[in-house]
Amino acid sequence: MPSFIYRFSNLTIMLFFIVLITAAMDGFPVLLQLLPFLSPSEESTKSGLSLFGPIASSLGLLIGFLLNQAQTNVREVEGIVSTEAARINNLDRLLLRFGSERALEIRIQLKAYIESIISIEWPKLAEESGSKETHMLWRNISQNIFKLDPTNPKQVALYSDIIKKSEEVAESRETRIDRSDKRLPTLFWVVIFVCLGALICLNALFLRTGHYIFGLTILSIAYGGLISLLVITDQPFKGQNAIAPSALVKILASIKTRME
């Protein structure tokens, strides 16, 4: 889906797809029926029914499968963010236990780094990129960690853990930025709209009775709602339902109050 659509609210997106699909389902077949060889009859209605059911069912199954896939993508990205927050929290604990003045200075830099992720880098994830400012903050932290000078057995033991955890934090950030463009493959959207187009064309085979129009309206509303839900959940960092940095906010609050 084009990125500009996520500027609108969920309700607007849903109404847009419901109105669009309803208008297409109802209006385009009327135009097709103006063609002499597509004039509807009882025979054409029977032919249409034999094709309409399988295509409509297949489209419903496809949308259901993709909704499940979209939710899986969202949960995967949420897991990445939670893991990153946990790793930053563990790094802060190790720096505090290290017990040197330089380690305590790095803790202050680490808090600034988390704040930068939340306030500066997070909005950029909707643009599928990271923040150079946040990257430079982490680069400075990483360089300072390598400058730590363990002077006793306790610090020597903690130092290797600090190095390992800092590498994990860097990896988590790279993974989060890499997953910011997570979305369903374009091919699936092509198949959805091909199936919708087939259903719209098949509607030209039906006689326009009151029951037909009522059923068609219900079906259009259902498909419009399902497709709008798929659009809303397709890209985890975009739109009204975008993933929030809640895990990082909680860790930041915890770090600010940690004394031991």
Side-chain angles (χ1 to χ4, degrees):
M1 277 293 116
S3 296
F4 74 86
I5 200 168
Y6 293 98
R7 300 174 186 172
F8 303 101
S9 67
N10 291 345
L11 181 60
T12 302
I13 294 173
M14 183 172 292
L15 289 174
F16 169 76
F17 278 99
I18 288 175
V19 171
L20 177 65
I21 294 174
T22 301
M25 284 276 199
D26 186 58
F28 190 69
V30 173
L31 296 177
L32 290 178
Q33 288 174 350
L34 295 177
L35 300 174
F37 60 89
L38 283 179
S39 180
S41 63
E42 291 185 4
E43 185 179 348
S44 68
T45 299
K46 290 179 182 179
S47 300
L49 285 173
S50 66
L51 295 171
F52 193 90
I55 295 176
S57 299
S58 298
L59 179 57
L61 289 173
L62 176 61
I63 294 174
F65 167 76
L66 294 179
L67 279 171
N68 180 68
Q69 184 61 47
Q71 288 299 312
T72 300
N73 291 343
V74 170
R75 288 192 292 271
E76 178 190 346
V77 175
E78 287 177 338
I80 290 169
V81 175
S82 296
T83 299
E84 181 180 13
R87 287 174 173 176
I88 292 174
N89 189 45
N90 290 335
L91 178 59
D92 180 75
R93 288 180 184 274
L94 291 170
L95 289 170
L96 181 60
R97 292 171 185 171
F98 192 82
S100 71
E101 288 297 323
R102 183 180 290 273
L104 295 178
E105 291 174 0
I106 296 174
R107 285 194 70 215
I108 296 174
Q109 295 172 351
L110 191 61
K111 284 186 281 188
Y113 171 69
I114 302 174
E115 290 170 347
S116 178
I117 293 176
I118 295 169
S119 61
I120 298 174
E121 185 163 72
W122 206 266
K124 289 186 175 293
L125 294 175
E127 303 171 5
E128 303 174 8
S129 64
S131 165
K132 184 177 180 180
E133 180 178 338
T134 304
H135 170 72
M136 295 307 296
L137 284 172
W138 176 252
R139 183 180 177 183
N140 189 39
I141 290 171
S142 181
Q143 290 173 345
N144 288 334
I145 284 175
F146 279 105
K147 292 178 182 178
L148 286 174
D149 185 20
T151 57
N152 56 58
K154 174 188 174 183
Q155 291 182 343
V156 171
L158 288 172
Y159 182 69
S160 61
D161 289 337
I162 289 173
I163 295 295
K164 179 181 178 182
K165 194 58 63 177
S166 67
E167 291 175 351
E168 290 178 352
V169 171
E171 180 186 350
S172 293
R173 177 175 180 265
E174 291 171 2
T175 303
R176 168 171 49 81
I177 295 172
D178 180 63
R179 294 295 189 277
S180 65
D181 64 350
K182 191 81 170 179
R183 68 187 71 189
L184 296 172
T186 304
L187 180 61
F188 285 120
W189 289 107
V190 172
V191 174
I192 286 175
F193 287 110
V194 165
C195 290
L196 273 176
L199 290 177
I200 291 170
C201 292
L202 279 175
N203 285 327
L205 301 177
F206 294 99
L207 292 168
R208 298 183 63 81
T209 63
H211 289 90
Y212 159 79
I213 295 173
F214 177 76
L216 183 63
T217 302
I218 296 299
L219 184 67
S220 300
I221 292 172
Y223 278 138
L226 288 171
I227 292 175
S228 63
L229 181 60
L230 187 57
V231 171
I232 289 167
T233 58
D234 181 26
Q235 300 185 41
F237 289 107
K238 295 180 182 179
Q240 195 174 340
N241 275 31
I243 295 173
S246 305
L248 291 166
V249 172
K250 291 178 181 178
I251 292 303
L252 178 61
S254 177
I255 289 176
K256 285 181 176 179
T257 58
R258 179 173 294 136
M259 302 300 295
E260 60 181 7

